[in-house]
Amino acid sequence: MPATQSPVTLRVGSRDSKLALAQTELIIGELKKAHPQLTIELSTMKTIGDKKQDVAINKIGDKGLFTKELETVLAEDTIDMVVHSLKDMPTQLPENMLLAAIHGRADPRDCVIMAPRNQGKKLKDLAKGSVVGTGSVRRVAQLRRQYPHLKFADVRGNLNTRLAKLDALDSMYDALVLAVAGIERLQLGARIAHALDTVLYAVGQGALGVEVRADDVQTCELVACLNSQSVRLECLAEREVMRVLEGGCSVPIGVRSSWDGEQLEVKCIVASPDGSQAVEASAAAQVANDDQARALGVQVAALMRERGADAVLKAI
């Protein structure tokens, strides 16, 4: 969008999954409230992560699984901004790309969805050898430590596809582990058996990231209203932990952020996929701006390295 023109139309890009569209519509709704004069056009597409449904995410080996194609059309000036699940965004963005806004974090925890035959149960109630589906190495690494009697199997597909696999009469899965935020944004909260308070969640989980071209000043100004300050600061701190530890969305780094007044605490865990090894650390500091948030992230990452996180990550 040329910086010399008053914007009339804002071109928004999104993945075409039901959840991605629901999240993008949330952002569009907020933009329309803030800028009633805007006309907004929506473009959708599939990413490599959407197309490669027969391969486990951690086996594909690309940190931009759900972002790269959208960033390509953004760079080509075909669209003006992209709405992502923040947890899908690599910590190192392509040249001339900017994370301009971080919006309203929903419940960042993971949760359990039971197969119809296991309604009313929790993970601890499942029989030895029961199969829990999740595509996340982070979740498996932590859950194996907490529920050694269970087996874990990869499950791919968008959220509705995974639920259909769980509900099939011949399903191999006894339960799934999914993000609370996605379930609730699709109005499926009634299916949650229980949240996993003891499992540290993915960096940025529950928040939405808005990516723009760094030199597109007007779009940057338009989307600035989407920033939720406390959410932005905690997510920037979390992303800095991951950036320093050089992890991607398929690496088992878990975090938890919490506020006490103006003091932000960030906890982190890195665990081996079999759950046999884990490194944990936490730090807290007064955080009022982006630089202070990133500094806290660096501090947490340094503590993790002191305690052996690099060795665990290199072994994966």
Side-chain angles (χ1 to χ4, degrees), residues 225-239:
C225 64
L226 297 170
N227 275 299
S228 307
Q229 182 67 356
S230 62
V231 170
R232 178 180 177 86
L233 295 177
E234 66 189 50
C235 288
L236 288 177
E238 294 171 11
R239 285 173 61 80

Side-chain angles (χ1 to χ4, degrees), residues 83-104:
V83 180
H84 301 288
S85 290
L86 185 61
K87 68 182 179 65
D88 292 335
M89 293 187 71
T91 55
Q92 297 282 12
L93 299 182
E95 185 177 356
N96 195 36
M97 294 298 153
L98 176 70
L99 177 56
I102 299 176
H103 186 69

Side-chain angles (χ1 to χ4, degrees), residues 2-316:
T4 57
Q5 296 180 5
S6 179
V8 175
T9 300
L10 185 67
R11 302 164 299 173
V12 179
S14 170
R15 292 166 60 198
D16 65 1
S17 73
K18 191 172 181 179
L19 176 57
L21 289 171
Q23 294 177 157
T24 299
E25 289 295 340
L26 285 174
I27 293 295
I28 288 174
E30 292 299 315
L31 285 170
K32 286 181 175 178
K33 287 180 188 176
H35 309 290
Q37 80 280 9
L38 276 183
T39 297
I40 297 179
E41 296 178 352
L42 176 62
S43 299
T44 64
M45 65 177 59
K46 293 187 184 298
T47 64
I48 188 172
D50 298 310
K51 295 171 184 175
K52 291 192 174 183
Q53 293 294 325
D54 57 342
V55 183
I57 289 175
N58 64 305
K59 301 296 184 184
I60 300 175
D62 190 328
K63 295 180 183 179
L65 284 179
F66 298 105
T67 62
K68 185 171 290 184
E69 287 83 357
L70 287 159
E71 287 170 336
T72 297
V73 294
L74 181 60
E76 293 170 347
D77 197 11
T78 303
I79 56 177
D80 302 308
M81 57 169 275
V82 180
V83 180
H84 301 288
S85 290
L86 185 61
K87 68 182 179 65
D88 292 335
M89 293 187 71
T91 55
Q92 297 282 12
L93 299 182
E95 185 177 356
N96 195 36
M97 294 298 153
L98 176 70
L99 177 56
I102 299 176
H103 186 69
R105 195 171 207 174
D107 189 332
R109 295 175 298 171
D110 293 316
C111 66
V112 177
I113 310 295
M114 287 292 174
R117 61 181 179 272
N118 291 317
Q119 290 304 305
K121 294 182 179 179
K122 296 186 176 183
L123 283 187
K124 65 181 178 59
D125 302 322
L126 293 178
K128 183 177 180 179
S130 294
V131 177
V132 177
T134 175
S136 165
V137 177
R138 170 191 58 82
R139 290 169 179 151
V140 173
Q142 295 182 67
L143 289 168
R144 277 195 171 128
R145 296 173 63 82
Q146 299 174 30
Y147 301 94
H149 69 294
L150 299 177
K151 293 183 178 180
F152 297 90
D154 189 64
V155 58
R156 290 295 315 280
N158 62 42
L159 194 150
N160 295 90
T161 299
R162 282 177 279 173
L163 288 174
K165 290 178 179 179
L166 176 69
D167 294 341
L169 292 176
D170 60 348
S171 177
M172 66 176 283
Y173 304 105
D174 292 285
L176 297 181
V177 177
L178 300 166
V180 171
I183 293 290
E184 292 188 338
R185 282 177 176 146
L186 288 182
Q187 309 299 314
L188 296 171
R191 292 216 57 180
I192 296 175
H194 63 101
L196 291 167
D197 295 319
T198 58
V199 174
L200 272 62
Y201 41 80
V203 168
Q205 186 158 304
L208 302 178
V210 176
E211 188 175 14
V212 305
R213 291 182 300 279
D215 60 0
D216 185 351
V217 177
Q218 287 193 348
T219 299
C220 289
E221 292 175 350
L222 276 174
V223 304
C225 64
L226 297 170
N227 275 299
S228 307
Q229 182 67 356
S230 62
V231 170
R232 178 180 177 86
L233 295 177
E234 66 189 50
C235 288
L236 288 177
E238 294 171 11
R239 285 173 61 80
E240 195 68 8
V241 176
M242 178 170 274
R243 187 194 67 78
V244 174
L245 292 177
E246 299 182 334
C249 65
S250 63
V251 174
I253 295 176
V255 294
R256 177 178 292 125
S257 296
S258 59
W259 289 90
D260 183 2
E262 295 182 356
Q263 181 163 283
L264 174 62
E265 180 182 36
V266 177
K267 298 180 179 180
C268 181
I269 184 171
V270 168
S272 59
D274 65 1
S276 64
Q277 294 178 287
V279 175
E280 300 180 63
S282 66
Q286 296 286 322
V287 171
N289 57 50
D290 291 3
D291 289 342
Q292 291 175 343
R294 293 189 178 100
L296 176 58
V298 170
Q299 182 183 354
V300 175
L303 289 171
M304 292 292 289
R305 281 186 157 163
E306 288 175 9
R307 297 175 187 182
D310 285 344
V312 176
L313 289 173
K314 286 176 182 178
I316 295 171

